Amino acid sequence: MTLAISLTATLGSPTASGLRQLRGDLLESGVATDAPVLSLLSGFHTFLDQLETRSKSRGHSDTASKLEVGALSSIILEDMLKEAGSSGLAEKVLSGVATEGLAVLATRQHVKAWDNELAAVCREAAWHLYGELWEFTMCAKPELEASERRQLLDQLLDPLNKPETTLPVRVALVQRFYQILLVDACCAAASKPDSDE
């Protein structure tokens, strides 16, 4: 019963902690430690853990960037209040805008860098998924020629490697592929003890 609950949770809203729970439930239910489902879980866990960690870091960089914008405004306001009526006010304000503006742009570049990091996480997952999907299709469609199987998987995973595919779409695709494979692997692992009897 616990296994069904943790699998349902993973299918509904996958998290790294949820996968740790599912792994424990699978092992407790008697799944062998070298079962393919655990390798699949490991890849999915790595993806979710890296995604969660890097997303939080990206969020912190984004917040820092917004704080820089606020700091720029307060510096300009401070200069205006200090120098009211002074002929050097415009020069001081422009100097502050230029200096602080560059700091804001630098911080925004950090946010873009995090987007590249998240895209790399998706590409790494696509690398792992390729092998998992190859095995899956060999069982599901053994009649496919290797060249046909390759063409099918190349087309299926191509969006994960294209820069024009948005990050949310990449993440959703990776999660869906892992979830589909996970259901199949859990069913196979659950049926193994019965077939040995």
Side-chain angles (χ1 to χ4, degrees):
M1 183 66 166
T2 309
L3 178 56
I5 292 169
S6 57
L7 180 58
T8 301
T10 296
L11 296 177
S13 182
T15 63
S17 62
L19 289 183
R20 288 190 293 273
Q21 175 69 39
L22 179 57
R23 179 186 59 183
D25 292 344
L26 283 165
L27 290 169
E28 185 181 344
S29 74
V31 169
T33 56
D34 62 348
V37 68
L38 295 178
S39 172
L40 180 66
L41 271 177
S42 177
F44 197 7
H45 178 270
T46 298
F47 168 73
L48 290 176
D49 188 53
Q50 289 181 358
L51 186 69
E52 290 170 13
T53 302
R54 288 188 167 107
S55 292
K56 285 178 186 174
S57 296
R58 183 199 185 282
H60 294 312
S61 290
D62 193 40
T63 301
S65 175
K66 290 173 182 170
L67 290 172
E68 285 282 349
V69 171
L72 170 62
S73 301
S74 65
I75 288 171
I76 292 171
L77 180 61
E78 182 183 336
D79 284 346
M80 289 176 71
L81 292 174
K82 279 185 191 174
E83 303 282 336
S86 169
S87 61
L89 174 63
E91 186 178 305
K92 210 166 184 188
V93 168
L94 284 174
S95 173
V97 167
T99 303
E100 294 301 318
L102 288 173
V104 170
L105 289 174
T107 310
R108 293 312 298 168
Q109 291 304 310
H110 287 295
V111 174
K112 285 183 183 179
W114 282 117
D115 286 347
N116 289 334
E117 288 283 325
L118 290 170
V121 169
C122 290
R123 287 191 305 272
E124 185 179 337
W127 176 268
H128 180 250
L129 280 166
Y130 198 94
E132 295 286 351
L133 286 165
W134 188 278
E135 288 294 321
F136 174 76
T137 58
M138 283 186 67
C139 293
K141 292 278 190 184
E143 71 278 5
L144 279 180
E145 294 290 330
S147 60
E148 292 175 301
R149 191 178 317 283
R150 179 181 180 177
Q151 184 179 8
L152 172 72
L153 292 181
D154 286 348
Q155 289 175 351
L156 192 63
L157 295 173
D158 191 46
L160 295 176
N161 296 308
K162 286 191 171 179
E164 59 268 19
T165 306
T166 65
L167 199 53
V169 170
R170 289 182 200 206
V171 169
L173 285 172
V174 169
Q175 287 182 351
R176 188 61 65 213
F177 289 142
Y178 271 119
Q179 288 169 324
I180 291 166
L181 290 169
L182 192 56
V183 169
D184 181 68
C186 283
C187 289
S191 67
K192 272 235 165 108
D194 294 339
S195 63
D196 291 343
E197 290 176 358

